[in-house]
Amino acid sequence: MEMEYNLSIELRGHEDDVRRICVCENVGIATSSRDKTVRFWPLDPATNRVPESPKVMVGHTSFVGPLAWISPNDEFPGGGIVSGGMDTLGMVWDLKSGERVHVLRGHEMQVTGIALDDRDIVTSSVDCTLKRWRNGKAVESWEAHNAPVQAVVKLPSGELATGSSDTTLKLWKGKTCVHTFVGHTDTVRGLAVMSDLGVLSASHDGSVRLWALTGQVLLEMVGHQSIVYSVDSHVSGLVLSGSEDNTARIWKDGVCVQVIEHPGCVWDVKFLENGDIVTACSDGVVRIWTTYEDRAANPMEVQSFSEQLSAYKISRKRVGGLKLEELPGLDSLQVPGTSDGQTKVVREGDNGVAYSWNMKEYKWDKIGEVVDGPGEGLKRPVLDGKEYDHVFDVDIGDGEPIRKLPYNRSDNPYDTADKWLLKENLPLSYRQQVVDFILENTGQKTFSFDSSFCDPYTGSNAYVPGGTSANHAISNKPTFNNFKHIPKKGVLIFDVAQFDGILKKMSEFNNTLLSDQGQKQLSLTEVEMSRVGAVVKILKDTSHYHSSNFADVDIDLLLKLLNSWPLSMVFPVIDILRMMILHPDGASKLLKLINGGNDALIEIIKKVTMSPVIPANVLTGLRALNNLFKNTSFHQWLQYHRSEILDAFSAYHASNKNVQFAYSTLILNFAVLLIEKRDEEGQLQVLSAALEIAEAESIDLDSKFRALVAIGSLMLDGSVKRIAMDLDVESIAKAAKSSKDSKIAEVGADIEALTKQS
């Protein structure tokens, strides 16, 4: 790229985050916002100036997200706009009049994507479905993924492409999935067409990928430091991406050629036909950027933007555990100290500088710049490259992965909850639960709530803990067939590890081998132990999973230990491999070995079920196998080896509570996978294993619950249900329904209701 993009114009009017942009040919652009409005900005393509005030479309009752442009036709002579919102609705607007023409009702949760298919409208949703609309009415609906569908785009070839929280893209001809693209390691959040090449995807894993329609990855663009929310392309071959790291990035041939910083999260990015770009920022401003001098902003506008950016950076910078902007200025040094050696940190420009009170000379002596807080800088948790007072692991249930919730004690917990729910695309009805969680886990039992606060979604005051509200949120999590716990959506993994304990145990075992002349040759050298430590360090640094890598020698070393160390010593090695499976590069390297004929996973199964059976080996082996389900690249392997896996562990699943739980989780994960694969033979084997757990007397309640959920989910298929009935599932359901444990009773009732359905 010969010329850089510079600011052209700022479009101000939205009162909250600008979430999406829609380029309306050469007519103008439409934008959506958390302020519940859609705005259309008529744009002069020669100057990027707005000749008149934007048209504001009001109708959504919650924040508005995806947008689509309807080219002028007989129904919409001036063109139309389709919008989707957190309120579960789609809306069709006549641009000429600004009036709402259709309301698309039918999704159970937030609308996340919109694509036009001829005159039909296709929408995606957090409720896992796609819906097709014609003349304002739903004409088709189908479950597209096993997790929220985050984006949908129409391809020039006629197919639809979708991206999902299940980490995959899918290609659709009608309601038939013709291909699943596997490669991302986290939610696929945004999609775009790249002319004549394929489809672009933006992911929470921090990367942008270009896929051929065969599923081959043509390019991977890595450079963002956080979630990538959006991506777009231009006929020139340039690619544009927007991220939570507060940047828009321009890519050419897979290489980042420019980074454009913003004073906030960049939610969406789009190219205009003339090559200029538009960005949507969390500060509520739409910005257009250009490479042409005659369309560039004047020096005063550029200076104003620079000041906005500087102020934002200062507001984010922390010194000594405090925000830089909260530090006193140099004038505070006019006040004498109270004791010799007293220290004070003041703001000098963009830095914090420490001073010490010199009682003898009665003046403040400059110590130097403060680069971290005394005694706390390295202790503050980091997420996506930013420090916080707290980073919580939040389990939202229903098999969803653990989410990271960052929080600073100086923040408003309600504001934190709002932003986090938006980021994670979770229902607003979780809001109060998130706030309660924050208050409980930070010890902030009381919170002085600003009574003037206005909920950006409902326009009303928020519900305050201990207070009352006329508008209590009602959970709008998706329900299926009115059952409480079935079918199971998503898989369950074991992603928590005591790394210090693992290293300590390996060191202990290694010292034992060193002291035994007969086994000394099996021990690790100092260099090899340091390699193990380096592997663990990478695994600990979850914020950089998208960019960190393992050396081949690291994998080789762990597999050598797996094969050579005594049976009683291999469980910490398997524990490291268990966590490596969750790392993108680690999983990729293991898969490469398997495809090359060195099936380390089969070796783990053989090792942990070898006589004499050691419970710690069985436990770590089961947990490692469960973690494979998170990465769709391993699904074919799991399906192929399903019989030998289940047969290998069926004899040992009752050895202790933790092993029971890991085994029942394996059964449930296999149920989810084999239902998706429509593998009836496999489903019947899993059903048999689940029934065995459910009927057992001395089984932990959590393990029994997972087995019952697997049974109920499998029974939604008619043929499996008939066999379950033959195996007296009715008596199992009846016994579960009478349990004192509420979850067991509820899933028992679900299964009983299934048995009574014709």
Side-chain angles (χ1 to χ4, degrees), residues 303-376:
Q303 177 64 26
S304 173
F305 174 73
S306 297
E307 290 170 357
Q308 294 171 53
L309 194 59
S310 177
Y312 179 77
K313 288 181 177 179
I314 289 173
S315 73
R316 305 283 290 183
K317 187 170 182 179
R318 301 182 73 91
V319 176
L322 297 173
K323 290 183 178 179
L324 180 64
E325 63 182 357
E326 295 173 351
L327 294 177
L330 282 169
D331 55 351
S332 68
L333 298 178
Q334 302 300 318
V335 180
T338 56
S339 61
D340 193 46
Q342 176 190 349
T343 58
K344 178 182 286 191
V345 180
V346 301
R347 186 177 71 250
E348 290 187 20
D350 290 348
N351 298 306
V353 178
Y355 285 81
S356 175
W357 180 246
N358 185 329
M359 184 65 80
K360 184 177 181 181
E361 299 184 20
Y362 209 70
K363 69 181 183 71
W364 290 99
D365 292 331
K366 187 173 183 176
I367 300 173
E369 184 179 330
V370 179
V371 294
D372 219 331
E376 63 181 56

Side-chain angles (χ1 to χ4, degrees), residues 7-8 18 27 35 45 72 104 108 119 137 149 169 301 373 391 428 446 523 569 643 689 750:
L7 182 66
S8 174
V18 186
V27 181
D35 67 10
L104 311 180
E108 296 178 27
R119 287 210 168 188
K137 304 293 182 184
V149 189
L169 289 78
E301 292 170 326
V391 175
L428 183 61
T446 58
S523 63
M569 296 182 177
S643 286
D750 285 349

Side-chain angles (χ1 to χ4, degrees), residues 54-71:
K55 186 169 289 183
V56 182
M57 286 156 271
V58 179
H60 283 284
T61 58
S62 183
F63 90 80
V64 192
L67 299 169
W69 165 246
I70 302 173
S71 296

